[in-house]
Amino acid sequence: MPWSDSTHLADFGTASLWPIYVQFGNQSKYERAKPSARACHHAAYIPKFLKKEGIDPLLTHCRRELMHAIWKLLLSDKFVAVCRHGIVVKCHDGVTRRLYIRIFTYSADYPEKVMLATVRDMGNCPCPRCLVPKEKICELGTSRDQDARDQKKRVDDEERKAMVQLAQTLILEKGLGVNSTAVEGLLKARSLVPTSNAFSERLAPDVVPNFHNLFVPDILHEWELGVWKSLMTHLVRILHAAKGGVVREFNARFRLVPTFGLDIIRRFNSNMADMKQFAAHDFEDALQCFIPVVDRLLPEPHNGIVLDVIFLSAQLHGMHKFHLHTESSTRLADAALTEYGKALRRFKRVTCAAYNTVELQKELAARVRRLARHHAPIPPPRTAPAEVQGRSQAQIPQGQADPGARLHRADASAPVSSTITTATACLHGAARKKEYSLNTFKLHSLGDYTKKNYTTQLAQIERREEHLHRITSALNTATPLANDAHQGAWSTSDSEELAPFSEWDHHHIAKSQKHRVHLSHYVYQHRGDRAVQDFICKLQTHLLACTRHNRNATDASFSEADRRALVIEHERIYSHQLLRINYTTYDVRRGQDLINPSTEPNEDSDANTAGEYKLPHMFWYAQVLGIYHANVVDRQPREDGSLEAAPQRMEFLFVGFVPDTDPDAFGFVDPSDIVRACHLIPAFAEGRTSRLLGYSKIARPSGESDDWERFYVNRFVDRDMVMRYLGGGKPKMTWARPYLFRLVYWTARRMSIVMKRMLLMSRYK
């Protein structure tokens, strides 16, 4: 499984490399994705060809010829013989086997893909797998589009080879140009190029019957850096065209989106509309959190149209990134693709037509830079150097031109640079009109994802690992004093160490008893706070329910004698900073969530993540206010008449709901009831309110006096969460029907509205 991806070797400078990576498909993809497994092998390094500004047909042709000449060397006679006849190898288990090499896939970004597939870059038929015309790409998701993909597949047949051979004859023997009329008339209709394909020559027809099938979709470049990047860019153009300060509101909302996990959702920068120095993960994070941010920034019907497009973008993106598919999941993805195509065409027809969108500032600046590079301005007038001015013509050696004369001639004939005039006009004039295009190859490739779904992300991991290795090597050369100072700057005496624990354990809370909480003192200190009302009574009820295995117990379930029989050692509970939860993901792997309730929602942590535990229908959400354990003794006699002597460690979470008028607004939860953490994003369009919760320093540690009216539950935060809301993550849960995609945006009035929406979905299933 080869990959190739050109990369820069340094943050500054022009040093670059074009490696070809190779991985073995027999090895598990989960192992191949680990940089520590060293499963990505560097097979070759492609030399860089002469680079020239602009598009030169001859240089482009030479680059293609160079690429395929290298692959003809790599696909040597010995390699082809092994592919056809196999090689006898004694395997690790001691058994001797005959192994046959097969090239399963080739993954690359679009410019390299068309170069390897010997297809014209963004020609009439831009896809390296089919002959769908560019003007028909906008029919994505329709039956016509699917029929065209099936009926117009590219085939490595004799007709294609004869056309390429005839074009090469016209160029090499007749002396015609690579872009001459005769050559264009022969190849342009099918977007072919006059280059012999190395895979066709060396491996066809037995090893690789059709080399076009090797080039699979690429999520990294076609989704995050392709379809979504162009859609997000045009949405920002629409916000600029809408005026009224919506761009400032857009940036402010993104800044308030809380983080999630260690690095799943990171803190967004303060000017998201500029999209400066965005990597693929930045665009992915923005897509997953975009609905709450953009909600109601535009008037209806455009607001609803935009929300539909973003919802289906996030839904389809999450399903295309699944590591494990079933027949049901592929059918759902195809249904979502159909709806996505309809939503995009409506967005183009209604919303895009209603706004006069022009270039963003960074697009205008980039165009000016391109103009400056393509038409270098003539330098301003200069005087000759003093040593040249003092020399006569006779003193200048024979055959050497006078530099001063050359300078004076240039000064005398140099007009004002047209490039400078053009650039100045661009900067001070109106930006060009920009329209959203549905006729791009990256949008077209979404129709192939449920059939072939691979990515260059492993190549990105390999490049990142090499970069981190260089950083680690540099740090290891530092002095011990510097290393000690660095470690001391990041460590605190109060922090809890993330000690390893078994992946089979459901959760882990530290064993430390350093942070003591005296119950009576804690309740007195926070008297008047709604959160500690009946705190000790509710805690006793929860502990009794756990020790006596009565999970449905209420305050009335236990008598005063039962409460007196429960002894909390030293009347203390012990607080902790972190709760780690292990869970089984949709693809039967082990995942882990980290909950830290002590950090403010506006800081970098998981403070606004919430525990969710299972109910008969879907999930129940709560914000974790504290993580505790207590040493408890239940002095009620057992069935055999004996008494419990040793204290038992009991772990529990202090959680909160709203409104505070609910008697169960604050309570305790057993950590074993938690499924996993979830990502809650404020519904910014709903505003804030103070009627849901009165004064509570515990529930509002930041000192705020009000709360957000509603919250979105981010169902797109990772693949496992997408699958949980589809209903396919567990064997007993049914799949949601495709039309439900458009019904639910998960706008949560904290607690009660979430449950009503969940119950509504369960009725449709």
Side-chain angles (χ1 to χ4, degrees):
M1 298 174 65
W3 276 264
S4 62
D5 194 9
S6 179
T7 179
H8 288 282
L9 296 179
D11 294 334
F12 303 96
T14 59
S16 61
L17 199 64
W18 196 347
I20 297 176
Y21 308 101
V22 174
Q23 295 186 345
F24 292 100
N26 304 73
Q27 192 175 3
S28 169
K29 59 187 174 186
Y30 298 103
E31 288 295 324
R32 285 189 275 116
K34 294 180 180 178
S36 58
R38 299 290 180 184
C40 189
H41 309 279
H42 293 225
Y45 297 97
I46 304 172
K48 288 283 187 177
F49 196 72
L50 175 65
K51 185 176 181 181
K52 182 180 178 181
E53 294 297 340
I55 300 176
D56 189 318
L58 181 58
L59 288 179
T60 302
H61 176 71
C62 292
R63 292 190 190 99
R64 281 195 300 264
E65 291 287 338
L66 176 63
M67 171 67 84
H68 286 276
I70 292 171
W71 268 105
K72 288 175 185 177
L73 291 175
L74 295 176
L75 302 175
S76 61
D77 294 338
K78 189 174 182 180
F79 179 85
V80 174
V82 171
C83 291
R84 290 197 168 103
H85 308 295
I87 181 173
V88 178
V89 177
K90 186 174 182 180
C91 301
H92 183 70
D93 57 1
V95 178
T96 301
R97 298 180 175 87
R98 182 178 293 273
L99 306 179
Y100 294 84
I101 298 177
R102 290 292 182 269
I103 298 180
F104 185 45
T105 64
Y106 197 120
S107 190
D109 59 4
Y110 181 72
E112 294 179 28
K113 196 177 295 183
V114 294
M115 185 183 297
L116 292 162
T118 54
V119 174
R120 188 187 301 261
D121 189 356
M122 290 308 298
N124 295 332
C125 303
C127 180
R129 296 180 292 271
C130 68
L131 293 169
V132 174
K134 185 191 297 185
E135 62 271 11
K136 297 294 184 181
I137 291 178
C138 61
E139 297 179 351
L140 175 72
T142 63
S143 57
R144 293 190 303 273
D145 178 69
Q146 189 57 52
D147 292 342
R149 293 171 190 265
D150 295 336
Q151 297 170 7
K152 297 182 179 181
K153 290 183 178 179
R154 289 188 182 270
V155 181
D156 183 23
D157 54 8
E158 294 300 325
E159 181 183 0
R160 187 202 69 85
K161 296 177 183 178
M163 293 172 65
V164 173
Q165 183 64 38
L166 179 57
Q168 290 178 328
T169 302
L170 293 176
I171 295 172
L172 300 177
E173 297 182 6
K174 302 291 185 179
L176 300 180
V178 293
N179 61 336
S180 61
T181 304
V183 175
E184 290 288 294
L186 187 63
L187 302 178
K188 187 175 182 179
R190 298 175 61 178
S191 295
L192 297 176
V193 293
T195 300
S196 298
N197 192 281
F199 300 99
S200 177
E201 285 191 8
R202 304 294 295 165
L203 301 177
D206 46 355
V207 180
V208 179
N210 185 8
F211 66 87
H212 293 290
N213 294 333
L214 294 177
F215 305 106
V216 293
D218 170 22
I219 292 179
L220 179 70
H221 295 95
E222 293 169 2
W223 247 122
E224 287 98 346
L225 298 178
V227 175
W228 170 240
K229 179 180 178 180
S230 66
L231 179 59
M232 180 178 172
T233 302
H234 197 73
L235 286 172
V236 173
R237 294 191 197 115
I238 290 176
L239 294 179
H240 278 284
K243 304 185 185 307
V246 291
V247 176
R248 290 195 299 272
E249 178 66 16
F250 175 82
N251 291 327
R253 289 182 178 184
F254 255 121
R255 190 60 182 166
L256 293 175
V257 173
T259 60
F260 180 74
L262 294 178
D263 60 351
I264 299 176
I265 299 295
R266 311 177 192 187
R267 178 68 61 191
F268 293 104
N269 63 43
S270 58
N271 195 350
M272 287 290 291
D274 278 357
M275 294 178 286
K276 289 183 178 178
Q277 298 180 340
F278 267 30
H281 70 83
D282 296 306
F283 284 106
E284 183 179 19
D285 291 353
L287 172 60
Q288 293 164 344
C289 304
F290 210 82
I291 289 178
V293 172
V294 79
D295 188 15
R296 303 187 200 175
L297 290 181
L298 298 175
E300 295 295 346
H302 308 301
N303 179 65
I305 293 173
V306 169
L307 290 181
D308 283 347
V309 170
I310 298 170
F311 181 85
L312 290 167
S313 296
Q315 183 71 63
L316 194 61
H317 172 263
M319 298 181 73
H320 281 170
K321 295 197 75 170
F322 281 165
H323 285 166
L324 182 67
H325 270 290
T326 64
E327 292 182 0
S328 298
S329 66
T330 55
R331 285 197 300 269
L332 283 172
D334 290 339
L337 180 66
T338 300
E339 294 298 317
Y340 187 51
K342 294 178 183 177
L344 282 178
R345 287 187 288 274
R346 188 184 179 204
F347 171 72
K348 169 78 172 177
R349 184 178 64 255
V350 179
T351 302
C352 295
Y355 292 93
N356 181 26
T357 52
V358 297
E359 291 174 317
L360 300 176
Q361 286 296 324
K362 70 169 189 175
E363 294 175 316
L364 177 60
R367 180 159 59 89
V368 172
R369 288 195 298 269
R370 286 195 300 270
L371 287 173
R373 286 198 304 267
H374 295 170
H375 307 282
I378 299 175
R382 293 184 298 168
T383 57
E387 61 273 13
V388 175
Q389 291 179 351
R391 295 163 59 188
S392 64
Q393 185 67 28
Q395 293 173 317
I396 299 176
Q398 186 178 3
Q400 178 178 337
D402 183 358
R406 183 168 63 249
L407 287 173
H408 287 303
R409 285 196 300 270
D411 298 342
S413 60
V416 178
S417 173
S418 61
T419 301
I420 296 177
T421 304
T422 305
T424 304
C426 288
L427 287 175
H428 293 88
R432 289 182 180 177
K433 182 178 178 60
K434 297 288 288 187
E435 296 183 354
Y436 182 62
S437 175
L438 293 179
N439 295 323
T440 63
F441 163 74
K442 294 180 179 180
L443 182 65
H444 169 77
S445 67
L446 299 188
D448 297 328
Y449 270 64
T450 54
K451 301 175 183 178
K452 291 185 175 182
N453 186 358
Y454 302 91
T455 179
T456 55
Q457 188 172 3
L458 299 181
Q460 304 295 326
I461 293 174
E462 175 67 15
R463 285 161 44 180
R464 182 180 63 186
E465 179 68 14
E466 293 296 327
H467 184 63
L468 293 176
H469 178 70
R470 292 195 299 270
I471 295 175
T472 304
S473 300
L475 290 176
N476 289 337
T477 60
T479 62
L481 180 61
N483 286 336
D484 293 341
H486 174 74
Q487 293 176 2
W490 289 96
S491 61
T492 61
S493 59
D494 295 333
S495 62
E496 292 182 347
E497 295 183 359
L498 294 177
F501 71 106
S502 173
E503 62 181 5
W504 301 110
D505 294 340
H506 175 268
H507 65 275
H508 177 266
I509 297 176
K511 305 299 182 184
S512 170
Q513 298 190 161
K514 187 191 316 183
H515 303 284
R516 307 179 186 89
V517 177
H518 295 269
L519 287 176
S520 57
H521 177 70
Y522 180 77
V523 172
Y524 178 78
Q525 182 183 6
H526 295 92
R527 62 189 181 279
D529 195 314
R530 177 67 181 85
V532 298
Q533 184 176 348
D534 300 327
F535 184 87
I536 297 178
C537 181
K538 290 179 180 179
L539 176 59
Q540 290 174 338
T541 300
H542 174 75
L543 295 177
L544 284 169
C546 293
T547 56
R548 300 184 184 182
H549 308 290
N550 183 8
R551 305 303 292 271
N552 297 321
T554 63
D555 290 344
S557 302
F558 303 104
S559 63
E560 281 300 320
D562 294 328
R563 298 182 186 280
R564 285 194 297 269
L566 182 74
V567 177
I568 300 176
E569 188 180 44
H570 305 306
E571 291 293 321
R572 295 173 183 169
I573 59 176
Y574 303 92
S575 67
H576 301 275
Q577 292 179 337
L578 302 174
L579 168 65
R580 287 184 288 169
I581 304 166
N582 284 336
Y583 60 92
T584 302
T585 61
Y586 71 98
D587 55 344
V588 202
R589 310 290 294 181
R590 294 298 279 171
Q592 186 177 107
D593 279 334
L594 184 69
I595 296 179
N596 182 357
S598 63
T599 309
E600 297 290 341
N602 292 331
E603 297 178 3
D604 294 332
S605 90
D606 302 328
N608 216 13
T609 61
E612 60 177 33
Y613 66 93
K614 193 175 177 183
L615 283 181
H617 295 285
M618 280 293 265
F619 305 111
W620 198 9
Y621 304 92
Q623 184 172 2
V624 178
L625 303 177
I627 304 170
Y628 301 98
H629 88 267
N631 300 320
V632 178
V633 177
D634 187 0
R635 297 190 178 277
Q636 183 185 43
R638 300 174 181 173
E639 294 181 358
D640 58 359
S642 62
L643 295 175
E644 184 178 353
Q648 179 183 359
R649 175 187 167 102
M650 303 289 293
E651 298 172 343
F652 53 91
L653 305 180
F654 183 45
V655 299
F657 310 96
V658 292
D660 60 355
T661 54
D662 190 324
D664 295 324
F666 297 94
F668 298 92
V669 173
D670 189 342
S672 61
D673 289 336
I674 297 177
V675 176
R676 59 165 302 185
C678 69
H679 189 213
L680 297 183
I681 306 175
F684 302 107
E686 297 288 341
R688 301 178 70 92
T689 180
S690 58
R691 61 183 178 81
L692 297 176
L693 179 63
Y695 168 77
S696 178
K697 188 176 180 180
I698 295 175
R700 297 196 192 101
S702 59
E704 296 176 343
S705 59
D706 55 5
D707 303 281
W708 291 104
E709 176 77 18
R710 302 182 184 212
F711 278 78
Y712 283 83
V713 180
N714 191 353
R715 59 182 293 179
F716 309 116
V717 70
D718 57 27
R719 303 180 186 95
D720 182 70
M721 199 69 78
V722 172
M723 182 65 83
R724 287 181 187 273
Y725 285 103
L726 283 176
K730 298 181 180 179
K732 295 182 180 179
M733 299 180 69
T734 58
W735 284 84
R737 297 178 184 177
Y739 59 78
L740 288 179
F741 289 166
R742 300 170 63 88
L743 293 181
V744 184
Y745 287 116
W746 304 107
T747 55
R749 185 184 289 274
R750 290 286 179 104
M751 180 59 203
S752 58
I753 300 300
V754 169
M755 285 305 303
K756 290 178 182 177
R757 293 288 179 92
M758 298 297 184
L759 293 173
L760 178 63
M761 274 200 65
S762 66
R763 296 192 190 101
Y764 279 100
K765 290 183 180 180

